[in-house]
Amino acid sequence: MLEGRYELTKDLSDTLGRKLEKESTGIWDAKVTHFVVGRYSPGGDPTKGALLITGFYGRFKNADETRATALKRDGEADGAEVDVPPRDVTPAGSPVRISCEVLIRKRPTLTITYPVCAWADGNTSALMANMTFGARNADLDLKSAARTTLEVRSETVKSIS
C-alpha cells in the first residue's frame, strides 16, 4: 500500500468487517453489500503505527451523508475524542469529495492523536485512520491526510469492467 511504504499486517474483514455489515443494516441511505477492513503498518512493523482502512461496497444514494455518517460514528466510538471536527479537504482534481477529522484516543500508557478521512461515491466508501505513533498535533496536516486517502482510494478501488 502507498507504493510499498505500508504492508498489510492484519485482514480484519472476516471479524470486524462482518460485525460492521450487521450493524450497518438500515442506518444509511445505502445498500451495503460488503465490508473490507485491513490494518497496514509502515514497513510491516506495527510498533511504528497503523493505517486502518475500512471500506464499503454497495450502492450509496447520498455520498455526502454517507461520508459524514462514517466520520460521525468513528468520532463517537468508545475511547475516541474529536480534536478537530470533520471538514471537507478535497484535493484539487479529486474524482470524489474527501472529508477529514482529527481524533484522540487515550490508552493507559499512550495517547494517540491522528487524522481520519473518508470518501464516498456511488459504489464505494471508506474510512481511513492514519495512526503514526509519536506524532504531535503540529504534525497533523488534514490536506496531506486527504491526499494520502486519495492515493489509497486509487490503489484499492478497481473498476468491475
Side-chain angles (χ1 to χ4, degrees):
M1 183 67 57
L2 297 173
E3 299 179 355
R5 294 188 315 261
Y6 286 80
E7 294 177 21
L8 181 66
T9 53
K10 189 146 186 137
D11 183 345
L12 301 162
S13 300
D14 286 338
T15 54
L16 183 56
R18 291 198 190 276
K19 179 183 177 216
L20 291 170
E21 273 183 59
K22 289 178 185 172
E23 290 176 359
S24 72
T25 305
I27 64 165
W28 290 328
D29 186 17
K31 178 174 176 35
V32 177
T33 59
H34 190 66
F35 275 78
V36 289
V37 182
R39 182 172 51 217
Y40 297 78
S41 295
D45 183 352
T47 65
K48 292 182 180 177
L51 184 69
L52 184 62
I53 303 168
T54 305
F56 324 88
Y57 296 94
R59 288 187 210 117
F60 303 98
K61 292 180 183 176
N62 186 333
D64 290 341
E65 182 180 330
T66 298
R67 192 175 61 254
T69 299
L71 287 169
K72 183 176 189 283
R73 286 178 56 112
D74 205 45
E76 293 174 345
D78 284 343
E81 176 186 330
V82 176
D83 187 45
V84 176
R87 66 178 186 216
D88 186 312
V89 287
T90 305
S94 173
V96 295
R97 291 182 66 190
I98 297 175
S99 297
C100 299
E101 66 186 350
V102 174
L103 297 183
I104 298 172
R105 287 196 188 263
K106 294 179 182 176
R107 303 285 189 240
T109 59
L110 179 69
T111 297
I112 306 168
T113 303
Y114 58 96
V116 178
C117 296
W119 84 75
D121 57 38
N123 296 305
T124 66
S125 178
L127 193 66
M128 188 187 85
N130 193 350
M131 300 173 208
T132 304
F133 302 143
R136 300 165 301 165
N137 280 355
D139 297 330
L140 298 173
D141 174 1
L142 292 185
K143 289 182 180 185
S144 176
R147 286 190 301 273
T148 300
T149 301
L150 196 54
E151 284 182 62
V152 166
R153 182 182 183 274
S154 71
E155 290 185 35
T156 57
V157 174
K158 303 298 178 203
S159 174
I160 59 174
S161 56

